[in-house]
Amino acid sequence: MRKKGWLAGIASLALVTGALAGCGNNNGGNANPSASGKSEASSSAAAGSKASGGTVKLKMWGGVPPESGPQEVMDSWNKTHPDIQVEYVRYVNDDEGNLKLDTAMMTGQDVDLYVNYTLSQTAKRVESGFAADLSPFSDYNIDEKMGAAAAGWKIDGKYYGMPTTKSSYFVALNKDALDAAGLPVPKDWTWDEMREYAKKLKKGDGYGFIQNTEPYVDPLDAVLSKDGYTKADGTSNLDHPLVRKWLESLNGMMKDDKTTPPLGEQLTSKMPVEQMFLSGEVPMLNIGAWLLRSSNNFTDYPRDFKIAFAPVPRLQDEAEGFMTRGGLGDYISINARSKNQAAAWEFLKWYADGGMAPMAAGGRLPASKDADQDAALTSMLGDKADTYDKESLMYVIFDNKTPTFVRSVPQEVMDLRSQEYEKYFLGSQNLDATIAAMVSRHNEFLKKSK
C-alpha cells in the first residue's frame, strides 16, 4: 500500500466515487484473559484513570443517525460507566462524510473509535496509521465470538477493528405491488429476471427499480471477488464479460426501458430513494439493512403496504459459484493515535457483546454469539412486524446460504472505474471505450502498486 498516494488523495476524492460507493496472536487463537477479565493494557489504563481521579472521555464516529440507536447505546454505557464516558459523532457514510472523518484523524481531532463500512476504506486508514492493531488485546477472541466470516476483515492477517453486525444487502419489494402484478417474491434470481420485474411493475412515467448509491456497484464486485480483479497474467480483469453485461443492461434500463433513473439525474438531484420506495412511488429498491430505520418510522415515512425482501440478483445465469455482498459489517476501529485506546477497547467489547442492542431497530443485528439475537430481532421489527413479509426477511438475513464477500477493491480502483462508467451512463463515452479506459487505467494502477 502507498501511504503518500492516500494522503494526497484525501483532498481530491471525487464526489461520485464515494457516493457509489480475534485477538492474542491476531485474536485468532485461544483467548488468554487475565484474572480480572481485562487485558494488561486495559488494566493499566484503568489504574491510571483511578490514580489521576479523572474521567476518560471518548468520541466514537459512526454513520448511523444518533436517534436510530447510537445515542441510546451511549446513554446506556455512560449511565453505568462513570469513569469512561463516550460521545457519539455522526458522519454520513458517503464521499464527503468519509473525507470529514479522515481529515479529523489527520489533523489530530478527537476520534477514539470509528466505524468502517468497507474494507477498502479500512485498508486506507490502516495504511495511514489511523487504525490500531488489536493483537495486544488478548482477552477477546474475535474469531470465536463472530465466527469464520470475521476473517474477511483481516488485513495482512491481523484485525485492525472488530466486525459487529450481520451485514445484509437485498432488494426491498412492495409486496402489494408484486401481488397485483402476479409476481412471486424471488429467493434466487438473475439480473435479467429483475429487469423483467421492473418492466412489469413500472407504472406510467414512474420507475420500476431504484438503487441506493452505496451498493450500486456490488454486481461488479460480486463477479470480480469470485473470478479475480486481475487475470492469471496479472493484468486487469475489468473487461470481464459480466462487467460488460452490467454496464449494458443497466444502461438499457435507464435509456430503453426507462425503468430506473439515469445515474447522472440520480446523483445531481440527490434522489431520495428510500422515500421514493416507502411512499409507494417505486416498487423495488436495492439497499441494505439500514432501510429498516426508515421503514419502521411511520411518522416520517408513512406507508400502507407490506415490504418483502429478495436477495440481490446475480449477473451470471447459474447459481453455482455466485457470491453476494454480506457477511459481517460495521467494522469498528480504534484510532491508533488515540491516547485512550485501552478505555476504547473496554467500550468496544461491551458494545459488540450486547451493548449495541438498540442498533437493531435500525436493521443492525449483532454478530457476536453472546448477544441476544431473539431480543435484537424483536427490537428490529418493533411494533411494525405485521408490515413486513417476515418469511422473506428471515431468508435474506439468516437462511440464504450464498457465499458472501466484503468489498475489498482498492479505493483507487473504485475511483477510476466509476469515473469511466459514469461517462458511459451519461452518454459521453461508448461501451467499448469505457471498458478499454477502465482496463488501461487499472493496469497503470497495478504497475505503480508493484
Side-chain angles (χ1 to χ4, degrees), residues 304-315:
D304 57 3
F305 63 89
K306 182 173 288 189
I307 298 177
F309 304 84
V312 176
R314 62 181 188 273
L315 285 167

Side-chain angles (χ1 to χ4, degrees), residues 22-27 132-139 157-160:
C23 300
N25 295 327
N26 302 337
N27 293 346
D133 173 9
L134 299 185
S135 299
F137 298 104
S138 60
D139 59 327
K158 296 181 178 182
Y159 285 111
Y160 289 88

Side-chain angles (χ1 to χ4, degrees), residues 207-257:
Y207 299 117
F209 175 70
I210 200 166
Q211 303 190 72
N212 182 282
T213 52
E214 201 284 335
Y216 200 92
V217 76
D218 285 356
L220 297 191
D221 290 323
V223 170
L224 299 174
S225 291
K226 177 176 74 75
D227 293 347
Y229 289 91
T230 57
K231 300 173 183 175
D233 62 2
T235 61
S236 174
N237 200 21
L238 290 181
D239 57 356
H240 191 291
L242 292 180
V243 172
R244 174 180 287 269
K245 178 174 182 176
W246 179 75
L247 290 166
E248 198 165 29
S249 60
L250 184 53
N251 194 56
M253 291 178 70
M254 294 177 191
K255 297 179 180 176
D256 300 329
D257 306 347

Side-chain angles (χ1 to χ4, degrees), residues 1-14 17 94-95 97-106 114 116 118-131 337 410-412 415 445:
M1 292 184 282
R2 295 172 293 121
K3 183 173 181 178
K4 182 178 179 181
W6 162 234
L7 294 175
I10 280 184
S12 59
L13 285 170
T17 302
D94 61 9
D95 189 64
N98 278 287
L99 175 60
K100 178 180 178 181
L101 170 59
D102 294 327
T103 302
M105 290 191 286
M106 281 186 62
Y114 58 90
N116 302 278
T118 69
L119 192 57
S120 305
Q121 290 286 0
T122 307
K124 287 294 188 181
R125 289 160 181 159
V126 170
E127 177 186 5
S128 299
F130 297 152
R337 301 182 184 183
Q411 190 66 43
E412 293 94 334
D415 290 355
F445 168 81

